[in-house]
Amino acid sequence: MGHTQNPAADPAGPGPAPHPSTSPPVCLPDTGTGERWVFGFAGQARAEVHTLGARLHSLLVPDRRGHFADVVLGARDAAQVRGPAAYFGATVGRYANRIAGGRIAVDGAVHQLRTQPGGHTLHGGPDGFDQRLWRCEPFHSADRTGVHLHLHSPDGDQGFPGALNVRVTYTLDRDGDLTLAYHAVSDAPTVVNLTNHAYWNLEGEGRGNVLAHQLQVDASQYTPVDAELIPRGEHRPVGDSPFDLRAPRRLADVLTHPDPQLAVAGGGFDHNWVLDGGRTALPRRAAVLYAPDSGRRLEVHTTEPGIQVYTGNGFSGEVTGKSGRAYGAYAGVALETQHFPDSPNRADFPSVRLRPGAAYRSTTILRFSTD
């Protein structure tokens, strides 16, 4: 994708990064990932969103010394966005996470979805929303700037019933908060579950792993998985386990725990936490990620009932990042606000059903600060 971080934005550089422009969002030339929109306010965060996959490609935020760095993992080459980096920063759907066997029943009719190797449907199927070109509309005011992205998903897309019109809005405000708002309507009963799949390294993209990061998740329960990472059905209390993140814990300390659930996921987290309070009308805090060296702190607020935490256990250096450094294991952590995996097949999980005349709405706020 040809993005090279400005040396002045490097935390080790001689001074703070140049301030982002206060002008409306700017569209940069397509380098293989669609239109590239850059927006932000002076002295605050600056975002870059690509229309391929409605993808958050970069986010520059300051550390405790005022030095800016890009904290979002992303591929250097556009070709990798069509391959091993397909989900990096993308809007995933029509159904984020896993659906067992790729089968759903809607109003008694069984629908077979397209599946990936392993026989399940992940993040909407092999040609999900992460590989679509979205239509972009920028907006700008005195206090808010960003982009609306639109996508039409026809009836039968990847096997899902109903034609779906989707809008995702990225908004930066003058406090540096990034809000992701989702809206969808369908002309027939269907299921919808959307999220953003950014990987975070709050020390800066390409700067080693996140094992020194501290993570807190406001959840008393999680959903254990089977050997294929499909929820087994129960809500298990997090107490006396590495999944107890009700107080901040260093990832290096919890991921070395000899818990069979960590082993199933390949040596880390790839699990859904059941957020306390369930789905809410207004965003409330769900998780906090903190990087001690830079002092950067990310609070995740959401209306969603769950959050999937994936600690990059499967990264093997296949993806080369924007920094030119390969991403090894634990190079970033994904905090995916969403409904639970396989909810269409679990009557006791929060419903993901969307009917004509109703609207799917979801909001997640990413709030950055420093200590």
Side-chain angles (χ1 to χ4, degrees), residues 85-172:
Y87 302 135
F88 281 45
T91 300
V92 293
R94 173 179 310 195
Y95 194 92
N97 220 306
R98 295 168 177 85
I99 295 178
R103 288 184 298 275
I104 60 172
V106 179
D107 290 354
V110 176
H111 300 268
Q112 179 62 55
L113 312 177
R114 292 190 63 193
T115 59
Q116 282 97 327
H120 307 297
T121 299
L122 174 65
H123 296 325
D127 183 23
F129 291 177
D130 58 287
Q131 295 300 305
R132 310 293 175 83
L133 280 171
W134 297 57
R135 178 173 58 86
C136 186
E137 291 180 295
F139 62 89
H140 186 77
S141 68
D143 299 311
R144 300 165 63 252
T145 188
V147 290
H148 303 292
L149 296 117
H150 304 268
L151 182 70
H152 175 73
S153 174
D155 179 32
D157 188 2
Q158 303 295 288
F160 288 95
L164 192 74
N165 288 317
V166 187
R167 182 183 70 237
V168 179
T169 301
Y170 289 88
T171 304
L172 271 174

Side-chain angles (χ1 to χ4, degrees), residues 263-287:
V264 163
F269 294 139
D270 194 359
H271 295 78
N272 167 69
W273 271 254
V274 180
L275 294 172
D276 295 340
R279 180 165 172 75
T280 55
L282 298 174
R284 85 303 195 181
R285 197 185 75 175

